């Protein structure tokens, strides 16, 4: 089983490691918080009756996570996600639909991906793993923003392939994107490992495909019984792999 193989430092079964990007390496919530604090001031949201940036961010984060879960499963489109996440947030906070800033989503999409906060020890961990394994990214993010994030944080040099669901045409957890990633890497399922924060998209998607997986759980949530291995900090990977 995966857990015994990973915990045992003499195990050398893996050759390829596939990482998720958002919420796993790139700290999505921290970068979103910075972006929205700036946009709260730029767009004078207090004039719309929104008393604090923090309440706006908290409400947006909840709505965005719910919509991304639907996007992962193919229940909504990219356009629907982008149209709904701020519209829903403004209306939930009492802003009349006709007063919702129509350009807010565009401003967020332009500014957000330029933020550069990564989870602690990201570069250190990736450099260590790159010396032992071939690394790849599989992201359900959108093409333009993913490319900006990877370039702006100097992550590109670690990864042989950056696989973006919008380009492939299917999202994790669809087995087709895992098959595409394996084929592109010239790898086998048995020698490959997936690491990500999403239980459905990354962990259960990989496990259902037959690939081992590690759940990145920085919030310390309870680990589901069907998840073999979890980490709370990226640096733990340097002790496990």
């Amino acid at each position: 089983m995966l857990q015994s193989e990973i915990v045992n430092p003499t195990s050398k079964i893996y050759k390829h490691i596939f990482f998720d990007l958002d919420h796993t390496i790139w700290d999505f919530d921290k970068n979103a918080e910075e972006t929205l604090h700036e946009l709260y001031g730029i767009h004078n949201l207090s004039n719309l009756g929104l008393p604090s940036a923090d309440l706006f961010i908290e409400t947006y984060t909840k709505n965005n996570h719910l919509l991304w879960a639907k996007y992962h499963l193919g229940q909504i489109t990219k356009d629907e996600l982008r149209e709904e996440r701020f519209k829903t947030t403004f209306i939930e906070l009492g802003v009349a639909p006709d007063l919702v800033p129509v350009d807010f989503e565009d401003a967020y999409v332009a500014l957000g991906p330029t933020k550069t906060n990564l989870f602690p020890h990201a570069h250190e961990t990736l450099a260590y793993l790159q010396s032992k394994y071939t690394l790849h990214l599989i992201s359900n993010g959108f093409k333009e923003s993913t490319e900006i994030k990877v370039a702006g944080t100097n992550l590109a040099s670690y990864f042989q392939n950056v696989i973006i669901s919008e380009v492939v045409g299917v999202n994790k957890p669809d087995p087709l994107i895992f098959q595409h990633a394996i084929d592109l890497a010239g790898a086998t399922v048995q020698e490959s490992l997936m690491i990500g924060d999403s239980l459905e998209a990354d962990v259960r998607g990989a496990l259902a495909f037959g690939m081992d997986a590690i759940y990145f759980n920085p919030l310390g949530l309870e680990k589901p019984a069907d998840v073999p291995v979890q980490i709370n900090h990226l640096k733990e990977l340097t002790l496990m792999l």
Side-chain angles (χ1 to χ4, degrees):
M1 296 293 292
L2 171 67
Q3 190 161 9
S4 62
E5 290 168 348
I6 288 185
V7 171
N8 178 3
T10 66
S11 175
K12 302 295 182 183
I13 67 168
Y14 301 114
K15 295 182 180 178
H16 296 266
I17 298 179
F18 296 83
F19 275 92
D20 175 52
L21 178 62
D22 291 339
H23 301 284
T24 300
I25 298 173
W26 197 79
D27 193 337
F28 188 102
D29 289 340
K30 187 172 183 178
N31 289 315
E33 183 176 352
E34 278 192 10
T35 302
L36 292 173
H37 268 290
E38 292 182 31
L39 294 179
Y40 180 87
I42 292 170
H43 286 257
N44 297 311
L45 296 189
S46 60
N47 292 341
L48 291 177
L50 302 182
S52 75
D54 290 339
L55 177 61
F56 181 74
I57 291 166
E58 178 183 347
T59 308
Y60 160 78
T61 299
K62 177 197 68 176
N63 291 329
N64 192 49
H65 285 185
L66 291 171
L67 289 166
W68 270 101
K70 291 182 178 181
Y71 178 75
H72 289 324
L73 297 174
Q75 296 173 354
I76 60 172
T77 66
K78 168 186 176 180
D79 289 342
E80 288 171 329
L81 185 154
R82 286 189 163 175
E83 179 181 351
E84 288 298 320
R85 58 183 174 183
F86 286 113
K87 179 181 177 182
T88 300
T89 298
F90 280 112
I91 292 173
E92 184 175 336
L93 292 173
V95 177
D98 59 333
L99 295 179
V100 172
V102 294
D103 59 343
F104 197 88
E105 170 69 26
D106 290 340
Y108 176 82
V109 170
L111 180 59
T114 68
K115 298 298 183 180
T116 59
N117 294 293
L118 303 178
F119 280 95
H121 306 291
H123 281 288
E124 174 188 346
T125 300
L126 291 170
Y128 166 83
L129 293 174
Q130 187 185 40
S131 71
K132 301 178 65 176
Y133 308 93
T134 303
L135 307 184
H136 315 266
L137 273 179
I138 311 178
S139 175
N140 274 4
F142 303 131
K143 180 178 185 295
E144 182 179 4
S145 60
T146 298
E147 291 174 345
I148 292 170
K149 293 170 186 177
V150 170
T153 51
N154 299 314
L155 291 173
S157 62
Y158 297 116
F159 300 106
Q160 183 181 79
N161 298 300
V162 176
I163 299 136
I164 303 171
S165 65
E166 187 178 25
V167 176
V168 178
V170 289
N171 298 329
K172 297 172 292 181
D174 193 307
L176 290 177
I177 195 168
F178 291 102
Q179 187 64 60
H180 175 80
I182 289 286
D183 292 344
L184 193 63
T188 66
V189 173
Q190 292 74 23
E191 65 189 13
S192 300
L193 174 67
M194 180 73 206
I195 301 169
D197 74 289
S198 172
L199 286 169
E200 294 302 326
D202 300 315
V203 179
R204 293 184 178 126
L207 292 173
F209 180 66
M211 186 190 300
D212 286 343
I214 296 177
Y215 173 37
F216 178 57
N217 182 14
L219 298 179
L221 304 176
E222 183 177 355
K223 182 177 78 66
D226 65 327
V227 174
V229 181
Q230 71 171 0
I231 57 171
N232 303 120
H233 307 280
L234 289 176
K235 196 172 183 180
E236 291 176 61
L237 295 171
T238 66
L239 305 175
M240 301 168 72
L241 296 167

